[in-house]
Amino acid sequence: MDFQTVGNILLQVLVGGLSLGVLYAIVALGYTLVYGVLQLINFAHSEVFITGGIVAYLVFSGLQGAAMNGYLKLLLAGLAAMAVSGLLNVLIERLAYRPLRGAQRLVPLITAIGVSLVLQDLLRFLVGLRGQFDLSVPLPQGFANPITSVLGVNVSNLNLQVKDIILIVVAALMLVGLNLLVNHTRLGRAIRAVAHDRQTSGLMGIDANRIISLTFLIGGALGGLGGVMFAMKYQALNAYSGTVPGLKAFTAAVLGGIGSIPGAVVGGLVLGWLETLLGVISLFSAIPGLSWLGAIKAEYKDIGAFLALILILFLKPAGLLGRATTEKV
Amino acid sequence: MTSLSASPRGQAGDRTLPLLAYTAVTALLLIFLRGQVADGPARLLQPVLFGAFLLSLLFAYQWRAAGWAKTLVFAAGIGFVLPFMGRDNTSYFDLVIQMLIFAALALGLNIVVGLAGLLDLGYIAFFAVGAYLWGVFGSPQFGTVTGNAAFAGGVNPHLFWLFIPLAVLAAALVGVLIGLPVLKLKGDYLAIVTLGLGEVVRIFANNLGVTNGPQGIDAIQSAPVPWLNALARNLGFSEDQYRLFFLYLLVLVVIAIVILVNYRLDRSKIGRAWIAIREDEIAAQAMGVPLLRTKLLAFATGASFAGAMGVLFAAKQNFIDPKSFDYFQSIGVLSMVILGGMGNIAGVFLGAVVVTLLNLMVLPTLSEVLQQSFPNLNQNLDPSKYQRLIFGLVLVLMMLYRPEGLLPSARRKAEMHADEPAPDSIAEQNALEGDTGSEVYSPGLSTIKENDRTGSER
């Protein structure tokens, strides 16, 4: 194994990890927003997210024959998914979480797990009405085309497709948009106020219930768009496939420091790169002295994510970019 | 009120006669109608009757009745009716053993979640440790792994007895190893990390050579007990039921031990330390409770129960594969604990029985009935596919409407409803608990009702 091969593999990891990482990052935003406001791990976000993927499947297969620009189809799928997932998230909050405000911490968490399980089977039922379990997403034309050169540099050996670029661009737009929303608008200020101190913000004339609903709407919509990106990237999904990426995205949020938007991005990227690297690391066993790497199977990449989580929480409990909170006694 | 002894409940009068009558009627109906049921919706009678009969055991525990009547109901139910149904139809045996295994698991998780308040979403990993420990050694897999022809059928099956304590130790050790780095974390983080670690165990089981990956391990033995087999033969059991008969008795013994340990712990200094940690870590620490050590002890104790039950599970199933040990199973055990009533032994038992009965008997029977009645029914509507929905609904509805569970422990009930204006009943509960100092209800400290706009209303 020469340097060029090693370099190629590493470059591949960098690019593949980037597209995976931003996917985690955009799903992680939904967790982070809700956690920031309610201190609740919204387990049901996995299902909200995969609902977006299913909507994308429906839109793409409904428009399969239509003579329509691929990007327009993507736009339609994105809008539909954002609407459905956002409203679903609001509904969940209204029915399941709101009655439990002020209860012990574990109570809403267990409820969230329950909601997630209920949604899984409801989704399976709805999807199953079409007679299928595993969905295979038909991509708009051109999305799977390989990219051979970027700015004149030949990248044909990188295994890069148009959809990867779309994913990265969409994610960047979402991150910038959310950042603007949270930091530079009235609504964003209200969200931050409620996150900081719900009661005092109430005294300042902020309707906390409305703000929380809006936060769930935004978080759900982001999750839905993430689901569209997931459907586009993997082209295969079913009602249960939200769980593992949802968990990884949450891991990413915690890694970066939950509640922090740049943290979600950093966490997502770290996780994406780590996972992609672990997936191909056994290739390096050809290098003399590194033959033990051959024992690391690609399947163990999921373990890497969780071990990273434990390590980070152990060393830096507030996450990479999080601020340590002081315990109120 | 997690008392094991026959204690009066409520103000109702003596119910010896109703108890005996109810038990006799349900048991006789169950036994005599077992072969009579025709096809169609009438088949549902079977699970209903079985559930009704199991209820008599709960009543025997709950009701105020003469001691001899309670003993009689328990002895007849466990010693005669259940084995009799099992002899008649092996699937009943399987079901009852499975129920008891899950009950023990739920009791173990009850220590971790119910008493110590540590939400462990990877609990099933410890079960897997026990199951794979005996699965690998007690099956031809051991011969394959070691390449030694002497172990072509696994180790000597008599070693089964050694492997139960070994599994207890191994699971407790894994519990400590997992617990050490993560128990520093609080509530939600702990939940997500244990979930991840549970997945790690499953991924290893899925990929290691020792565990034979996704194909799983087949032909797992159980201990040979010739005199029990002879007894079983004399009682009319068929040869393929000997193993289940043996395991049924063994599970009963193990359950008895588990209940005893649970009960003693609940009342011990350690148990109170766990509850103190659950309620307020910082206050507990200030009062001299060593946090990490106490939490680790809860983790290890819960894990050790699961390890022992894993061995029994492997012996009962004959076959194990990673699918039995995924996240979903952990949630299943959690929903048993929550449905029945966290912190209460009888409640947890009830939860395990109800959920197992629902999953292994009610839903499959319902599926069969539906398929027979409507042959053209959409496969999608098959009730046995909706386990997740049921677990989920159990979790959500219980949290929303009855967070203390079906059979709450008095202590828990007082906590969950501390903000409701019912000082009389609370005082009464405190009196019942014989507890005057530690559970002070102070209206001044209860949650302040905020106005609507702050969004903190209950």
Side-chain angles (χ1 to χ4, degrees):
Chain A
M1 186 175 253
D2 54 10
F3 275 117
Q4 187 160 11
T5 331
V6 173
N8 262 339
I9 294 175
L10 286 180
L11 204 59
Q12 180 80 57
V13 166
L14 206 63
V15 175
L18 180 67
S19 81
L20 185 64
V22 293
L23 183 63
Y24 287 154
I26 48 185
V27 182
L29 289 176
Y31 282 108
T32 271
L33 272 180
V34 167
Y35 196 94
V37 173
L38 284 187
Q39 271 76 50
L40 163 73
I41 303 178
N42 183 12
F43 264 89
H45 193 67
S46 303
E47 280 61 50
V48 170
F49 146 76
I50 212 64
T51 304
I54 292 171
V55 170
Y57 159 80
L58 292 175
V59 172
F60 285 155
S61 35
L63 296 175
Q64 203 173 3
M68 192 191 271
N69 186 314
Y71 293 96
L72 193 57
K73 288 183 188 175
L74 182 66
L75 184 69
L76 283 179
L79 290 177
M82 284 173 88
V84 173
S85 295
L87 291 177
L88 178 65
N89 218 18
V90 172
L91 192 70
I92 293 171
E93 192 269 334
R94 188 70 197 81
L95 294 181
Y97 303 151
R98 189 173 299 180
L100 293 173
R101 295 241 186 97
Q104 290 174 342
R105 285 285 292 271
L106 284 189
V107 172
L109 181 68
I110 293 170
T111 312
I113 297 173
V115 170
S116 134
L117 292 176
V118 169
L119 282 180
Q120 284 180 13
D121 263 357
L122 284 182
L123 282 177
R124 197 184 58 89
F125 172 72
L126 289 174
V127 171
L129 286 179
R130 295 168 63 96
Q132 282 160 298
F133 179 72
D134 285 305
L135 306 174
S136 138
V137 182
L139 279 187
Q141 197 130 39
F143 277 25
N145 287 355
I147 289 176
T148 49
S149 79
V150 173
L151 303 172
V153 184
N154 180 15
V155 292
S156 52
N157 54 359
L158 268 188
N159 193 13
L160 198 61
Q161 295 177 354
V162 173
K163 60 184 184 185
D164 293 310
I165 305 291
I166 299 176
L167 170 59
I168 293 168
V169 170
V170 169
L173 289 178
M174 282 168 72
L175 292 170
V176 172
L178 185 67
N179 205 18
L180 286 176
L181 178 81
V182 170
N183 289 321
H184 300 280
T185 62
R186 254 180 93 80
L187 174 62
R189 210 181 323 154
I191 290 177
R192 279 180 291 142
V194 172
H196 189 71
D197 187 334
R198 201 184 306 152
Q199 278 163 25
T200 312
S201 65
L203 297 175
M204 299 295 134
I206 298 172
D207 183 348
N209 277 331
R210 216 186 105 235
I211 296 299
I212 291 172
S213 286
L214 280 172
T215 311
F216 271 84
L217 183 73
I218 298 167
L222 293 176
L225 197 51
V228 178
M229 297 296 122
F230 179 85
M232 190 176 78
K233 184 172 166 67
Y234 293 104
Q235 290 180 256
L237 70 158
N238 62 45
Y240 300 154
S241 43
T243 314
V244 174
L247 201 58
K248 298 269 187 60
F250 179 77
T251 304
V254 176
L255 267 181
I258 197 151
S260 145
I261 294 173
V265 181
V266 171
L269 289 178
V270 168
L271 203 61
W273 279 321
L274 179 75
E275 200 175 296
T276 318
L277 183 65
L278 284 175
V280 297
I281 203 161
S282 59
L283 294 179
F284 294 130
S285 61
I287 300 173
L290 291 181
S291 56
W292 54 273
L293 285 177
I296 303 178
K297 291 189 198 171
E299 286 83 4
Y300 291 162
K301 62 185 195 309
D302 292 352
I303 295 182
F306 296 122
L307 293 185
L309 177 69
I310 293 169
L311 197 69
I312 291 288
L313 286 178
F314 197 57
L315 298 176
K316 212 166 176 310
L320 292 172
L321 296 187
R323 254 168 294 155
T325 50
T326 46
E327 183 90 17
K328 284 180 210 157
V329 183
Chain B
M1 293 299 294
T2 48
S3 161
L4 264 186
S5 59
S7 60
R9 276 155 211 278
Q11 303 309 312
D14 183 83
R15 290 195 188 155
T16 308
L17 274 179
L19 174 66
L20 288 177
Y22 179 84
T23 311
V25 169
T26 49
L28 291 177
L29 276 177
L30 185 67
I31 288 173
F32 286 112
L33 287 180
R34 70 188 189 282
Q36 310 288 319
V37 186
D39 279 350
R43 290 192 58 171
L44 279 173
L45 203 60
Q46 210 71 354
V48 169
L49 274 178
F50 194 58
F53 168 72
L54 289 176
L55 263 185
S56 70
L57 298 180
L58 178 70
F59 291 154
Y61 173 80
Q62 288 283 85
W63 282 356
R64 181 215 285 265
W68 61 266
K70 291 174 173 241
T71 317
L72 181 70
V73 169
F74 271 116
I78 295 169
F80 175 70
V81 180
L82 292 182
F84 181 84
M85 293 305 292
R87 189 186 73 176
D88 191 61
N89 180 349
T90 307
S91 68
Y92 273 98
F93 238 164
D94 214 65
L95 178 73
V96 170
I97 298 175
Q98 193 78 357
M99 268 177 193
L100 292 171
I101 288 180
F102 274 125
L105 280 181
L107 284 171
L109 188 63
N110 178 44
I111 290 185
V112 184
V113 183
L115 290 186
L118 308 165
L119 186 56
D120 181 357
L121 296 183
Y123 183 66
I124 211 75
F126 307 123
F127 189 52
V129 168
Y132 270 105
L133 190 68
W134 177 242
V136 170
F137 282 95
S139 75
Q141 177 70 9
F142 191 52
T144 318
V145 171
T146 54
N148 188 339
F151 294 124
V155 295
N156 186 335
H158 285 289
L159 288 177
F160 179 76
W161 298 110
L162 177 66
F163 269 82
I164 295 181
L166 270 185
V168 167
L169 287 180
L173 187 71
V174 174
V176 170
L177 284 181
I178 288 184
L180 263 181
V182 305
L183 283 177
K184 212 175 83 175
L185 307 171
K186 297 244 167 55
D188 318 347
Y189 283 162
L190 181 68
I192 206 99
V193 167
T194 48
L195 200 171
L197 285 168
E199 280 293 286
V200 168
V201 169
R202 192 187 60 81
I203 293 169
F204 273 127
N206 227 337
N207 289 290
L208 289 181
V210 185
T211 60
N212 203 21
Q215 288 87 38
I217 297 174
D218 205 358
I220 301 168
Q221 333 176 50
S222 117
V225 190
W227 64 269
L228 254 183
N229 288 352
L231 178 67
R233 183 167 55 244
N234 290 335
L235 291 174
F237 287 90
S238 67
E239 201 154 335
D240 56 327
Q241 291 172 331
Y242 291 173
R243 172 201 280 253
L244 288 178
F245 181 68
F246 159 64
L247 287 170
Y248 174 68
L249 296 179
L250 184 61
V251 160
L252 282 178
V253 173
V254 176
I255 276 278
I257 297 173
V258 167
I259 291 181
L260 194 69
V261 172
N262 232 308
Y263 176 72
R264 302 297 309 171
L265 282 175
D266 192 26
R267 259 119 229 273
S268 67
K269 199 176 157 193
I270 299 165
R272 285 197 299 276
W274 284 336
I275 292 165
I277 286 181
R278 183 186 75 198
E279 294 310 315
D280 191 335
E281 262 190 43
I282 294 167
Q285 200 171 22
M287 288 297 157
V289 174
L291 272 194
L292 189 64
R293 196 170 6 125
T294 315
K295 283 182 176 181
L296 269 183
L297 201 60
F299 234 59
T301 315
S304 58
F305 288 4
M309 294 331 268
V311 173
L312 297 189
F313 179 75
K316 179 188 103 61
Q317 295 295 84
N318 246 327
F319 166 78
I320 49 171
D321 69 349
K323 274 199 224 72
S324 314
F325 310 107
D326 60 4
Y327 157 69
F328 182 56
Q329 299 288 334
S330 290
I331 301 290
V333 181
L334 180 68
S335 64
M336 292 170 193
V337 175
I338 286 171
L339 175 70
M342 267 199 262
N344 180 10
I345 296 174
V348 171
F349 220 97
L350 176 72
V353 169
V354 169
V355 171
T356 319
L357 195 67
L358 209 60
N359 276 336
L360 296 183
M361 194 167 186
V362 177
L363 289 182
T365 316
L366 208 59
S367 292
E368 282 171 32
V369 169
L370 276 180
Q371 266 162 20
Q372 278 177 0
S373 318
F374 310 95
N376 298 322
L377 196 74
N378 192 332
Q379 279 287 309
N380 199 23
L381 289 171
D382 184 354
S384 61
K385 284 185 182 167
Y386 287 91
Q387 283 190 13
R388 279 167 208 259
L389 188 79
I390 287 175
F391 285 177
L393 282 179
V394 164
L395 293 178
V396 175
L397 295 179
M398 293 308 284
M399 285 298 117
L400 284 178
Y401 298 110
R402 211 179 150 88
E404 70 273 19
L406 292 178
L407 284 185
S409 67
R411 200 191 271 148
R412 189 94 190 152
K413 205 163 160 184
E415 285 155 15
M416 287 291 186
H417 294 287
D419 53 345
E420 285 166 16
D424 286 353
S425 66
I426 305 245
E428 192 181 285
Q429 274 153 6
N430 278 345
L432 276 173
E433 285 232 301
D435 201 343
T436 47
S438 63
E439 303 264 346
V440 183
Y441 171 70
S442 59
L445 292 178
S446 63
T447 326
I448 300 158
K449 296 263 189 251
E450 282 112 4
N451 80 32
D452 205 21
R453 289 172 69 81
T454 61
S456 302
E457 87 279 19
R458 274 181 71 102

